[in-house]
Amino acid sequence: MSIEIKNLSHIYSQGSPFESIALDDISAVIDKGSFIGLIGHTGSGKSTFIQHLNVLLKPTMGQIFIDGIDINDKSTKVKSIRQKVGLVFQYPEHQLFEETVEKDVAFGPENLGLGDAEIKKRVKDALTMVGLDYDKIKDKSPFELSGGQMRRVAIAGVLAMKPSILILDEPTAGLDPRGRDDILNVISELHRREKITVILVSHSMEDIAKHVEKIMVMFDGKIKIFDTPQNVFSQVDLLENIGLAVPQVTYLMRKLKEIDPLIDQNIYTVQQAKEEIIRMMRRRKDA
Amino acid sequence: MEKMIEFKNVGYIYEKHEGAETVAIDGVSFSVRKGEFIGIIGHNGSGKSTLSKLINAILFPTSGDIWVAGINTKDHSRIWDIRQSAGMVFQNPDNQLVATMVEEEVAFGPENLGIDPKEIRKRVDEALKTVEMGEYKNKKPHQLSGGQKQRIAIAGILAMKPKCIILDEPTAMLDPAGRKEVIETIKRLNREENITILHITHYMDEVVDADRIIVMDEGKIAMEGTPREVLCQVEKLKDLRLDVPQITELAYSLQKEEIDFGCGVLTVEEMVDRLCQ
């Protein structure tokens, strides 16, 4: 399911003294089945942008097509778009409300008017996908779970809608390192196995570098860069100027290059850095 | 050396519904010297936040005792002395700012302490200058970035002239620039104003410069030591659901390939030095 954004602008409180341009004429194509990282400082327009993708906000100008369908066209049913495009907000566990985990995850599919057997299957599948044991957890209250578990239940609630596009707004904020890795691994696995398109909003350059295929960099309501991690993280000065950073290992490789010009500085994961340093050590040994 | 905080066999039990109990803090003893910078790490539910609330007398130990600046937190008559000595900054900047203007926000604490308005004026200006937000004093808090809001929260505490600041995941919601601003601010306060810092975080790279790291697990202190001593133990930290900075991880994986660095490389500069010896 490809997403095509054409000259999209969004102006908050247009015509009032508080008017502010949140999105400024952006255009992009997000390929079906891709894994996109969306980065940008607070206030750069990320949240406004993703809220357009499932019609929580409507464009002031411009259009968005999902699989060729104009999602804001009068003949398009908003409900069908929201089923296709699953949006996981920041701190989604704050939205849990049901008495049991099973009821909470079932809430979405029930609203789709599905049969009981199908709902049950979807709930079970969704909980399994996020790495929870359905039989053990289904009757528990969501509020007696740990923070990481609550967040997974909340994500399962979105997955039970079987979206073909999954958008997550900082899904790991406030989680401990293991909880963070668990959630990101679940998302990567879903992307690989179910071929769903994923848009991951994150402030952690390390996490983005480790998981995504392409990075969209937003600044001042515009898309500043939309390219591979390699091509994005090579622009250190630009990223720093707009309040971002590169992974710690990228800084290391740039320093090493000043000393050893043969070093490849376009490196952004620990694994790549390790291999490059081993090559450097071998060169030294041979010299 | 003057003790800023002391825990002696502290236990804290949360009572849940139907009489069920959760032991959040379990027989913890430690002390913090005046002017120390302590990093506190631990997985979700390990007891970090309970620990910080105990220091600030938001919670009281169910067993054992805590002294903050020499005052026992159980001494209810001195609760405001404790909270003035040890200020807290929380995770979500939007939940802790109350005023409609930055300088009013910073004045809120000292006003509640009943301080003379002239003195408040002076303290507000000084505090804003210290966090490098002086030019924003007439702005509205909601117009600021996350990092700026956290610095205003810190300024609000500074205006109460605290001896110690406890920060509970102050950078969890911030973008990279915001994180950097906040971390640089608290390091400077520690260095230049000799304010004791307890920094609770999930970002390991934020504690590499701490004087000491305390690792919490199941309500107990699982590890304690200098950043090098603690972050050296990569496997043990991973067992505790934690990790190490990318650079430390890299050094550790190179170590496995028999490239010997010795233990615990913590920063980019150290790594460059060791590779280019």
Side-chain angles (χ1 to χ4, degrees), chain A residues 92-142:
Chain A
E93 62 275 19
H94 294 169
Q95 297 169 42
L96 297 171
F97 68 102
E98 271 287 6
E99 286 167 7
T100 69
V101 168
E102 175 148 46
K103 281 188 190 167
D104 210 295
V105 178
F107 182 77
E110 270 168 10
N111 279 323
L112 292 180
L114 301 169
D116 285 351
E118 173 66 14
I119 291 172
K120 192 167 179 180
K121 184 175 177 297
R122 284 196 179 197
V123 171
K124 194 172 176 176
D125 288 350
L127 286 168
T128 311
M129 272 189 245
V130 297
L132 294 170
D133 186 330
Y134 170 76
D135 291 311
K136 274 192 189 155
I137 209 162
K138 70 179 168 79
D139 297 321
K140 286 197 177 168
S141 158

Side-chain angles (χ1 to χ4, degrees), chain A residues 207-262:
Chain A
D207 289 347
I208 288 277
K210 202 168 156 188
H211 293 276
V212 310
E213 297 159 354
K214 262 180 108 177
I215 299 175
M216 186 180 277
V217 183
M218 290 198 64
F219 177 67
D220 214 5
K222 294 188 180 70
I223 295 174
K224 196 86 183 168
I225 325 172
F226 186 28
D227 211 329
T228 60
Q230 187 163 342
N231 291 339
V232 170
F233 288 133
S234 61
Q235 305 185 52
V236 180
D237 295 334
L238 173 74
L239 291 173
E240 287 187 344
N241 279 335
I242 61 175
L244 299 171
V246 298
Q248 208 183 14
V249 289
T250 309
Y251 286 111
L252 172 71
M253 300 319 279
R254 285 170 64 91
K255 282 249 163 87
L256 288 176
K257 194 178 174 73
E258 290 170 13
I259 297 155
D260 182 347
L262 288 174

Side-chain angles (χ1 to χ4, degrees), chain A residues 42 91 176 178 180 284, chain B residues 43-44 91 175 238 243 275:
Chain A
T42 316
Y91 297 88
D176 59 46
R178 173 91 60 86
R180 180 195 70 205
R284 278 197 208 162
Chain B
H43 61 80
N44 294 118
Q91 187 180 119
D175 57 38
K238 293 204 167 174
D243 65 359
L275 279 171

Side-chain angles (χ1 to χ4, degrees), chain A residues 42-87:
Chain A
T42 316
S44 59
K46 303 186 301 290
S47 295
T48 305
F49 174 57
I50 59 176
Q51 288 179 61
H52 276 85
L53 299 180
N54 77 344
V55 211
L56 285 173
L57 289 174
K58 295 209 168 207
T60 307
M61 277 169 283
Q63 288 167 302
I64 299 161
F65 296 89
I66 292 181
D67 260 359
I69 297 167
D70 181 345
I71 63 170
N72 292 297
D73 192 85
K74 279 198 186 87
S75 64
T76 308
K77 286 205 178 87
V78 171
K79 200 169 167 181
S80 73
I81 299 299
R82 297 215 175 119
Q83 188 261 312
K84 277 186 206 164
V85 184
L87 179 54

Side-chain angles (χ1 to χ4, degrees), chain A residues 41-42 91 174-180 203 205-206 243 248-249 252 255-256 259 270 274 277 281 284, chain B residues 43-44 91 173-177 202 238-239 241 243 246-247 250 253 257 259 269 271-272 275-276:
Chain A
H41 70 79
T42 316
Y91 297 88
L175 294 185
D176 59 46
R178 173 91 60 86
R180 180 195 70 205
H203 284 319
M205 302 301 131
E206 283 79 7
Q248 208 183 14
V249 289
L252 172 71
K255 282 249 163 87
L256 288 176
I259 297 155
V270 171
K274 177 181 145 188
I277 287 172
M281 303 298 262
R284 278 197 208 162
Chain B
H43 61 80
N44 294 118
Q91 187 180 119
M173 301 182 74
L174 305 184
D175 57 38
H202 285 316
K238 293 204 167 174
D239 285 344
R241 299 180 58 95
D243 65 359
Q246 257 197 341
I247 288 295
L250 175 63
S253 69
E257 303 288 327
I259 296 173
E269 289 69 28
M271 187 76 168
V272 173
L275 279 171
C276 299

